[in-house]
Amino acid sequence: MKKLLIFTAFLSFSLLSFSQNRTLPKVDLKTLDNNTFNTSDFDNDGKPIVISFWATWCKPCIKELNNIAEVYEDWQDETGVKVIAISIDDARNMSKVKPKVNALLWDYEVYCDPNGELKRAMGVGSVPHTFLLNENKEIVYQHTGYKDGDEFDLFKKIEALSK
Amino acid sequence: MKRLTIIITCSFFSFITWAQDNSNGTIQGDFNLSTQSYYEDPAINAEKVDEFILMNAYSNIRYNKGNFTAGVRFESYLNVLQGFESNFNGNGIPYRFAQYNVNGLDITVGNFYEQFGNGLIFRSYEEKTLGIDNVMDGVRLKYSPLKGLSLKGFVATQRLFWEQGPGIIRGFDADLNLNEAISSLESSKTNAIIGGSFVSRFQDDNNPVFNLPENVAAYAIRSTVNRGKISFNTEYAYKYNDPAGGITYNNFAPGSALMTNLSYSQRGLGIMLEAHRVDNMDYRSKRGGTGKELTLNYIPAISKQHAYTLAAFYPFATQPLGELGFQGEINYTFKKKSKLGGKYGTQVAVNYSRINGLNGGPSELTINRDHTPMFFSVINEELYFRDLNFDLKKKVSKKVKVMLNYLDVIYNKDVIEGKIIGKNVHARIGIAEVNYKIKPKHTLRSEFQYLSVDKSEEYYKDQGDWVMGLVEYTFSPHWFFAFVDQYNGGYTSEGKTYEAVHYLNISCGYSKGTNRFELGYGKVREGIFCVGGVCRNVPSSNGFTLNITSSF
């Protein structure tokens, strides 16, 4: 009961400062060559960044990234957006990520989060979960799940940012 | 524990207050609720529950400002959903931590998740949908004394439901990126990373009969080498003897694991080959623990993880007591406008995996664990699992996409499920999925899946054949409606006859941003379930379900 009280108090307190934009947490990821890469080095020269959490076993995730891949060139020409795909695959599938990304012809920046650190730090429960970052790398929009056509809404938000 | 919670909570408040002078820092969190009603249904072995409605819920809250992060997770199981351990029942805060960074030294006090290398000797992780959470509680340090070198160390105990396991775990890990550490290698085309880790468990020896080691250690060494399109990764782990204690047979053998994978990839093509050998590697923070409890290490299964429901019907799980496995996968995209690519290109994948027992080694079925299995043998070993599968994705027109899957699986139920049947299951599974885009934001998706078991004398028929059909309508970005039927034609097992049964399920959902509501009704068979744009693991049931997820 005491624990619950503390928790509730904390929750209500947290809501007070909830209104501001969240920045990206600083977490170490793995590149596809197993090097370490920190999220604070994500960069797109002040243009929007899309971060999409996916896994090799997740069908909607691959569908989302495949569908964006079809229009990615146009998106980049029009808004300068960069898509970063974060694989949450653990050791079981991590070795499949690089061959898969290459075979699917994805031109995204791809990193692995095998220990789920970024996933936890960004409140990602189930995948796919996609974030949009503005020029200050603050999270301005996010959505979970993927339905065909969701990319149109995402693109509208990217366009609004790049104006 | 309670006192630490209060201290950490207080530190939140003070940091928040302190932060208000300049910037406030940020708060982030997520919420997840699953509730379900249960009806008695003898046809699918579903039992009535006294509570009528069961619930799993949790919420994470994290506060971050500069180099400081703190977080808590509240969990509530009133009472826990079926398919999960009843020991979870109740409310509590099993996860709270504070983490800060002083001049490059990263300090975590409280709970943390960590993994060394591939996890062969240590991996602490959570998988809520499977009821796994073996989070550590203690102190962890991370430091990088020079470029390319990172060190990690911790001392902690491990979560066991609302309590902690009896073992004290000490761990240390070092990772060295040679190209970053040695300036003359910086521009080398070959990139190499080497690493090593050490883990030790302390647990009192109160056994009156055996003289059991109180400290049990394990170590692992690993390396990754990349050159151009080729990448090679290998890890070897050794575990000193860890007797189960108090049981009648001798189990004083050490354990070892060796895993290796090689990949080649270029635009349009990816090839991956993998092999591992595992011998007596069940390592826990409690001597002789069983089930999912208190596992310290994680040996990744060497088979493909399937996402279609019937393809995931016979999944393989690593046998830490001993196995020898291989896997190969090829992914290829036929280019647009090529003969096989057509207008939009065609994606294909082939995957093969095979896992055998060790010759002379232990398994669920051979009780003697004081053993010396052969390192490598291709004769006389027991087949645990085999899977050959094909995958094809093709966009036929602007409106239609087709996906085809075929699997041929041999599944050793004796070993994988610990049930003595004496024969393997041989299943062939065919899947077709069609996506039809009615309008840009309106999509109709249908799946047809068929699982057929080999009926010859040589194989075990298990539950016989299965058929599944799914129709899903999505209206981006908010709505989805889905209708699923899994049908089993009935079967006889251990003298008991099961009637034919339809697992009908209807569900709909609404999502806006990160808020997602999903309401379902019907029967569900356990397994991976992808519907409405997300995939989850679900236990079998009959009743109403309501799932709500949210994050901010």
Side-chain angles (χ1 to χ4, degrees), chain B residues 501-521:
Chain B
V501 55
H502 281 277
Y503 288 72
L504 283 170
N505 189 278
I506 182 160
S507 59
C508 65
Y510 175 82
S511 56
K512 190 175 178 190
T514 56
N515 293 330
R516 189 172 186 283
F517 306 84
E518 184 185 328
L519 187 66
Y521 174 70

Side-chain angles (χ1 to χ4, degrees), chain A residues 13-14 121:
Chain A
F13 207 108
S14 64

Side-chain angles (χ1 to χ4, degrees), chain B residues 203-215:
Chain B
Q203 187 186 352
D204 283 339
D205 174 18
N206 295 322
N207 192 298
V209 183
F210 297 108
N211 182 19
L212 302 171
E214 295 193 313
N215 292 285

Side-chain angles (χ1 to χ4, degrees), chain B residues 383-400:
Chain B
L383 179 66
Y384 285 179
F385 186 78
R386 192 213 68 192
D387 178 11
L388 172 64
N389 58 80
F390 303 91
D391 193 348
L392 183 143
K393 270 193 198 105
K394 178 147 186 67
K395 187 169 168 179
V396 180
S397 72
K398 223 173 170 181
K399 293 196 160 187
V400 180

